[in-house]
Structure formats: C-alpha cells, structure tokens
Amino acid sequence: MTAPSRRAAALVWGAAVTAYVVAVLHRTSLGVAGVEAVDRFGIGAAVLATFVMVQLAVYAGLQIPVGVLLDRFGARTLIAGGALLMATGQALLGTVHTLPLVYVARVLIGAGDAATFISVLSLVAVWFPARQVPLITQVTGLVGQLGQLAAAIPLVAVLHRSGWTTAFVGMAALGVLAALLVVMVVRDSPDGHGVARTGAGILAPLRAVAGEPGTWLGFWSHTVTQFPMTVFLLLWGFPFLTVAQGLTPGEASGLLTAAVLSAMAMGPVMGLLTARHPLRRSWMVLSVAVATAAAWAAVLLQPGPSPRWLLVVLVLVLGTGGPASVIGFDFARTSNDRVRIGTATGLVNVGGFGASVLSVLAVGIVLDLRAGVDGPLSLAAFRAAFAVMAVPWTVAVVGVLVSRRRTRAAMAADGTVVPPIREAIARRRAARR
C-alpha cells in the first residue's frame, strides 16, 4: 500500500472499530446490571437469563443471513444500520417496565450486534495486506474489549449514581453517534467501487462455505474458546462474584476488568503467532480450551469461596478465550473464496454464540432449580449451574479434533502436508545447530 492508502485504511478501520466498541458495550451492558434488572422488572434468575438468551439467539441466528447481506451490500451499510438498531433497543430498554417490550429491546440489540463484528472483519480483509490481516484482526478484537471496560467501570458508575434510565438512554445516544461516524468515514473498499451486488441468494454461498472443512474447524474453534468467556462476562460472572463469592461490586468490576485486560494483552500475541505459525493455529485453540477447563475445575471444586488469587487466575484465563476465538475467523478466511468471506465468518460466529445461548439458559435454569435447596444465587447453586458448561465444552473439543483431521486431509490433497508437531520441533532444533 502507498502511504495515503495506509492512512485511509487506518481511518476506515478506526471508525469501524469505534462502532464495534460501542456494540460490545451494548452487548455486555446487562451483565453488570443483572441485579438492578431483577429489582426493576421483578424477575428471577431464569427470566433474567432469557433476556440475554434472546439477545444471543438473535445474534447467532442472524449471523449467516447477515454474512450473505454483507457479501452483497457491504460493511458500511450493515455497521451503520446495526448501530441504529442497537441504539433503538437500548433507548427502549431504558424506558419500559413491561417484559414484552424488554424482549423487543433485546431482539433489536441482538440484531444490530449481529451485523457489526463480521462487517468490521470484512473491512480488515479488504483494506490491509494479507500478511497483516491476522494481527489487525486480533487488534480489532483487542480494541473492542474497551466496550467491556466501559460496561465494567463507567456504566456501573452511571447506573449506581444516576439510575437505570439515564444509563441505558445514554448508551443509545452513543449508538447514534457511532452510526453517524460510520456513514461519514467508512468505505467498503479502497477503490471506491463498493461491493458486488449479486442475486445468488442465501443457500448457494452457504453450501459453498459449509463444504469447506476449514470452515468447521473455525466454527468449533470459535465455540470452545468463546462461550465460557461470554457466559461469564455477559451475565453470570458479576452475580457469581458478588453474591456467591462475597466480593463487593467494586471488586467484581475489577475482576471483570482484569479479564478484559487479559484479552487485550493476549490479542496481539495470538495474532503474531497465527501469522507466523498458520499450521499450528489449532494448538493455540486447544491450549486455551484445556486451560479454561482447568481453571473452572479449580474454582468449582473449592469447598467454599475461592481465594482471591484463584479468582484472578480464572478471569485471566477466561480473558484469553476472546483472542483465541478470533483464530476461528482466520480459519474461515484462509479456507474460503474472498467473495464468500462474509458468509463464512457468519457461520463461524454462530458457534460460540450459539453455545453461549444454550449455556446462559442452562445456568439460569439450574440456578432456579437449586434455589429452593441451596438458596438463590448461592455458591452451591452456582457450582452446580456452571458445571453444565462441561457438556458444550466436550462437544466442541471433539469438533475441533475431528474437523482438524478433515482439514489437514484436504490440505494434503492440495499439496500442503502438516508435519506432526514433534517432527516440526525436531526440524527446528536441527536447523539451529
């Protein structure tokens, strides 16, 4: 790229990623307002879980349609439209008191959020050289974590000082500003011609991307690394830390912030490793998956409240799931034709958020079932509820292993053989001698 093109790429990316930061704020806002939501709407844990479940279900369900629309209409239209949908949802959530309208608000937030991240990733693939895409993709996810920081710190402060309506209507105003910024700055491609608007429908591109083993490797990689972090940060982490573990709201916010900082620190590292070792991406995914399971096991097997250091370890490990899940999108990018990147990215994104929908609901149901035995939101109830996440984790790990074998078989048929990791290490050691 020439110097002006680099500046243009930075401006386009900066505007798009700003909209993504606001989208993450919208997505995670209820996670720090769960206790207030219970009081405001007079609901229990299971109903609260359905608020998030509806949002995530809409998000996950729209990923493939949004991916097809992205390939057809471009990122600028989808990001701006998504920002306005989320702003409308937050304004509605901040002013209503009846459950049906709350669900409408969550649908709007989920729909707008669905259009944002994969659209930003499509801009990265178009505006930056291929060798830089893995790193810029991780940096995009890293910067997006600022939205979670905004939820954990300033949003909590506004919520406690000024109340529910001020906090959520204020987020709606931010959404409108983000939409205006995107319309003014973002362009779909460096040449200014936008995107090709074909009439291929949804089934043809979906069949094409679903036929690539690498797409499914991305799907399961995204699933196993993303859903534990989402379940914790989006809803159940804050009440688990404050009610079950006995932390103050300030201490819980600090731990949620630590998870976000962990994700921000690991993003560039995983981006560089992905770019330098593309044949070993699945090992990064599996390492994070195993570390996550070990951290959860250590916390859940404690006979009482966990020591602070162990909770810190848990949130730091959970934070690595964010950048690790982005590796799934890199599998989609390198396994599919460029004109179908939106569809492929959308399919991969269904994995983690689909598992999150089921897990959020399952945790809420178990909490309510155990409330009569252990007490509402007690440590024992959370211990049983979080244990159900072992089921999607196991399914996803098996999915990674099976799809990795199929992907490597397809690569070998095309002339790229992935040597066993022991052999690769032995070769590297021999080369250094």
Side-chain angles (χ1 to χ4, degrees):
M1 283 187 174
T2 62
S5 295
R6 286 196 294 270
R7 288 196 295 269
L11 286 173
V12 169
W13 177 81
V17 83
T18 298
Y20 175 51
V21 170
V22 176
V24 173
L25 170 62
H26 291 322
R27 180 193 304 167
T28 57
S29 57
L30 197 60
V32 299
V35 176
E36 288 79 5
V38 168
D39 293 336
R40 179 179 177 86
F41 301 111
I43 57 176
V47 175
L48 178 62
T50 64
F51 290 174
V52 176
M53 187 199 71
V54 166
Q55 176 190 335
L56 290 178
V58 171
Y59 181 100
L62 288 179
Q63 284 304 296
I64 294 173
V66 164
V68 175
L69 291 174
L70 172 60
D71 290 334
R72 188 176 302 177
F73 296 110
R76 180 172 177 251
T77 299
L78 267 69
I79 297 173
L84 292 177
L85 280 176
M86 287 183 282
T88 303
Q90 293 288 46
L92 186 62
L93 186 62
T95 54
V96 303
H97 292 81
T98 59
L99 289 184
L101 290 177
V102 172
Y103 286 116
V104 171
R106 303 310 291 175
V107 167
L108 292 173
I109 294 170
D113 191 14
T116 305
F117 184 57
I118 66 173
S119 299
V120 177
L121 292 190
S122 74
L123 291 173
V124 172
V126 170
W127 280 89
F128 292 90
R131 67 182 183 277
Q132 295 180 4
V133 169
L135 178 59
I136 301 299
T137 298
Q138 287 287 357
V139 172
T140 300
L142 181 157
V143 177
Q145 302 303 315
L146 294 175
Q148 293 189 14
L149 285 179
I153 301 176
L155 176 59
V156 169
V158 173
L159 188 65
H160 290 168
R161 293 176 184 175
S162 302
W164 181 278
T165 298
T166 299
F168 282 87
V169 172
M171 285 189 288
L174 285 176
V176 173
L177 293 176
L180 291 174
L181 178 64
V182 169
V183 170
M184 291 167 47
V185 177
V186 171
R187 296 296 178 267
D188 289 323
S189 65
D191 58 19
H193 293 309
V195 295
R197 288 167 169 79
T198 63
I202 189 172
L203 293 181
L206 180 57
R207 280 195 296 264
V209 301
E212 293 290 342
T215 302
W216 294 107
L217 180 53
F219 176 93
W220 292 115
S221 297
H222 188 266
T223 300
V224 75
T225 52
Q226 198 258 9
F227 90 89
M229 179 193 70
T230 300
V231 170
F232 192 83
L233 293 182
L234 207 58
L235 182 60
W236 294 123
F238 199 82
F240 171 70
L241 294 172
T242 54
V243 181
Q245 292 288 341
L247 274 61
T248 67
E251 291 172 332
S253 294
L255 284 179
L256 296 182
T257 300
V260 175
L261 294 176
S262 172
M264 296 177 70
M266 289 302 298
V269 174
M270 290 193 179
L272 289 172
L273 290 174
T274 300
R276 293 178 181 178
H277 307 284
L279 299 181
R280 302 300 169 188
R281 292 172 289 181
S282 62
W283 281 106
M284 286 183 273
V285 170
L286 291 171
S287 297
V288 171
V290 171
T292 300
W296 266 123
V299 170
L300 297 181
L301 292 176
Q302 288 287 316
S306 299
R308 293 293 189 272
W309 68 264
L310 184 55
L311 294 175
V312 171
V313 170
L314 174 66
V315 297
L316 292 179
V317 172
L318 288 176
T320 64
S325 70
V326 175
I327 296 173
F329 300 122
D330 203 57
F331 283 123
R333 177 183 65 85
T334 56
S335 301
N336 289 275
D337 190 280
R338 183 171 177 174
V339 298
R340 290 190 289 268
I341 289 298
T343 305
T345 303
L347 179 56
V348 167
N349 214 19
V350 170
F353 284 97
S356 298
V357 170
L358 299 176
S359 299
V360 164
L361 180 60
V363 169
I365 291 174
V366 175
L367 284 175
D368 274 356
L369 290 175
R370 299 292 300 180
V373 179
D374 305 311
L377 301 183
S378 66
L379 178 57
F382 265 113
R383 186 179 291 119
F386 280 139
V388 303
M389 292 195 297
V391 176
W393 182 91
T394 302
V395 172
V397 168
V398 173
V400 170
L401 296 174
V402 172
S403 57
R404 180 175 69 171
R405 186 174 66 249
R406 293 174 177 172
T407 301
R408 289 182 174 181
M411 293 171 62
D414 292 334
T416 301
V417 177
V418 181
I421 193 165
R422 291 180 180 177
E423 180 180 330
I425 293 173
R427 288 180 181 177
R428 181 164 297 183
R429 289 176 176 173
R432 291 176 179 175
R433 292 173 183 170

PDB file of all heavy atoms in Angstrom, residues 242-254:
ATOM      1  N   THR A 242     -20.213 -11.389  43.205  1.00  0.00           N
ATOM      2  CA  THR A 242     -20.719 -10.555  44.299  1.00  0.00           C
ATOM      3  C   THR A 242     -21.558 -11.341  45.298  1.00  0.00           C
ATOM      4  O   THR A 242     -21.369 -11.228  46.513  1.00  0.00           O
ATOM      5  CB  THR A 242     -21.544  -9.396  43.733  1.00  0.00           C
ATOM      6  OG1 THR A 242     -22.571  -9.913  42.868  1.00  0.00           O
ATOM      7  CG2 THR A 242     -20.672  -8.426  42.955  1.00  0.00           C
ATOM      8  N   VAL A 243     -22.495 -12.149  44.808  1.00  0.00           N
ATOM      9  CA  VAL A 243     -23.405 -12.864  45.705  1.00  0.00           C
ATOM     10  C   VAL A 243     -22.788 -14.171  46.209  1.00  0.00           C
ATOM     11  O   VAL A 243     -22.774 -14.444  47.410  1.00  0.00           O
ATOM     12  CB  VAL A 243     -24.754 -13.140  45.001  1.00  0.00           C
ATOM     13  CG1 VAL A 243     -25.704 -13.862  45.956  1.00  0.00           C
ATOM     14  CG2 VAL A 243     -25.380 -11.836  44.523  1.00  0.00           C
ATOM     15  N   ALA A 244     -22.282 -14.988  45.282  1.00  0.00           N
ATOM     16  CA  ALA A 244     -21.781 -16.311  45.668  1.00  0.00           C
ATOM     17  C   ALA A 244     -20.396 -16.252  46.297  1.00  0.00           C
ATOM     18  O   ALA A 244     -20.095 -16.991  47.243  1.00  0.00           O
ATOM     19  CB  ALA A 244     -21.766 -17.234  44.451  1.00  0.00           C
ATOM     20  N   GLN A 245     -19.529 -15.389  45.766  1.00  0.00           N
ATOM     21  CA  GLN A 245     -18.157 -15.327  46.280  1.00  0.00           C
ATOM     22  C   GLN A 245     -17.960 -14.230  47.331  1.00  0.00           C
ATOM     23  O   GLN A 245     -16.894 -14.150  47.940  1.00  0.00           O
ATOM     24  CB  GLN A 245     -17.180 -15.096  45.123  1.00  0.00           C
ATOM     25  CG  GLN A 245     -17.077 -16.268  44.163  1.00  0.00           C
ATOM     26  CD  GLN A 245     -16.346 -17.463  44.758  1.00  0.00           C
ATOM     27  OE1 GLN A 245     -15.621 -17.331  45.738  1.00  0.00           O
ATOM     28  NE2 GLN A 245     -16.548 -18.647  44.175  1.00  0.00           N
ATOM     29  N   GLY A 246     -18.967 -13.373  47.527  1.00  0.00           N
ATOM     30  CA  GLY A 246     -18.901 -12.375  48.587  1.00  0.00           C
ATOM     31  C   GLY A 246     -18.061 -11.150  48.289  1.00  0.00           C
ATOM     32  O   GLY A 246     -17.674 -10.419  49.197  1.00  0.00           O
ATOM     33  N   LEU A 247     -17.773 -10.891  47.022  1.00  0.00           N
ATOM     34  CA  LEU A 247     -16.991  -9.703  46.672  1.00  0.00           C
ATOM     35  C   LEU A 247     -17.899  -8.475  46.628  1.00  0.00           C
ATOM     36  O   LEU A 247     -19.115  -8.584  46.417  1.00  0.00           O
ATOM     37  CB  LEU A 247     -16.314  -9.883  45.313  1.00  0.00           C
ATOM     38  CG  LEU A 247     -14.950 -10.575  45.271  1.00  0.00           C
ATOM     39  CD1 LEU A 247     -15.034 -12.004  45.797  1.00  0.00           C
ATOM     40  CD2 LEU A 247     -14.397 -10.569  43.838  1.00  0.00           C
ATOM     41  N   THR A 248     -17.310  -7.316  46.818  1.00  0.00           N
ATOM     42  CA  THR A 248     -18.060  -6.075  46.649  1.00  0.00           C
ATOM     43  C   THR A 248     -18.232  -5.798  45.156  1.00  0.00           C
ATOM     44  O   THR A 248     -17.492  -6.344  44.319  1.00  0.00           O
ATOM     45  CB  THR A 248     -17.316  -4.905  47.287  1.00  0.00           C
ATOM     46  OG1 THR A 248     -16.093  -4.671  46.552  1.00  0.00           O
ATOM     47  CG2 THR A 248     -16.980  -5.182  48.738  1.00  0.00           C
ATOM     48  N   PRO A 249     -19.216  -4.954  44.787  1.00  0.00           N
ATOM     49  CA  PRO A 249     -19.352  -4.601  43.358  1.00  0.00           C
ATOM     50  C   PRO A 249     -18.067  -4.036  42.766  1.00  0.00           C
ATOM     51  O   PRO A 249     -17.738  -4.307  41.609  1.00  0.00           O
ATOM     52  CB  PRO A 249     -20.485  -3.573  43.367  1.00  0.00           C
ATOM     53  CG  PRO A 249     -21.318  -3.945  44.556  1.00  0.00           C
ATOM     54  CD  PRO A 249     -20.319  -4.411  45.589  1.00  0.00           C
ATOM     55  N   GLY A 250     -17.333  -3.258  43.556  1.00  0.00           N
ATOM     56  CA  GLY A 250     -16.079  -2.707  43.062  1.00  0.00           C
ATOM     57  C   GLY A 250     -15.043  -3.779  42.794  1.00  0.00           C
ATOM     58  O   GLY A 250     -14.335  -3.738  41.782  1.00  0.00           O
ATOM     59  N   GLU A 251     -14.959  -4.752  43.702  1.00  0.00           N
ATOM     60  CA  GLU A 251     -14.014  -5.858  43.500  1.00  0.00           C
ATOM     61  C   GLU A 251     -14.408  -6.709  42.299  1.00  0.00           C
ATOM     62  O   GLU A 251     -13.547  -7.139  41.517  1.00  0.00           O
ATOM     63  CB  GLU A 251     -13.960  -6.717  44.754  1.00  0.00           C
ATOM     64  CG  GLU A 251     -13.308  -6.037  45.952  1.00  0.00           C
ATOM     65  CD  GLU A 251     -13.451  -6.844  47.228  1.00  0.00           C
ATOM     66  OE1 GLU A 251     -14.444  -7.595  47.350  1.00  0.00           O
ATOM     67  OE2 GLU A 251     -12.571  -6.725  48.110  1.00  0.00           O
ATOM     68  N   ALA A 252     -15.708  -6.957  42.144  1.00  0.00           N
ATOM     69  CA  ALA A 252     -16.170  -7.736  40.997  1.00  0.00           C
ATOM     70  C   ALA A 252     -15.885  -7.004  39.689  1.00  0.00           C
ATOM     71  O   ALA A 252     -15.438  -7.611  38.704  1.00  0.00           O
ATOM     72  CB  ALA A 252     -17.668  -8.025  41.119  1.00  0.00           C
ATOM     73  N   SER A 253     -16.127  -5.699  39.661  1.00  0.00           N
ATOM     74  CA  SER A 253     -15.813  -4.911  38.465  1.00  0.00           C
ATOM     75  C   SER A 253     -14.328  -4.970  38.155  1.00  0.00           C
ATOM     76  O   SER A 253     -13.922  -5.039  36.986  1.00  0.00           O
ATOM     77  CB  SER A 253     -16.249  -3.456  38.660  1.00  0.00           C
ATOM     78  OG  SER A 253     -17.652  -3.354  38.754  1.00  0.00           O
ATOM     79  N   GLY A 254     -13.507  -4.964  39.212  1.00  0.00           N
ATOM     80  CA  GLY A 254     -12.071  -5.069  38.997  1.00  0.00           C
ATOM     81  C   GLY A 254     -11.669  -6.381  38.361  1.00  0.00           C
ATOM     82  O   GLY A 254     -10.811  -6.416  37.467  1.00  0.00           O
TER      83      GLY A 254
END
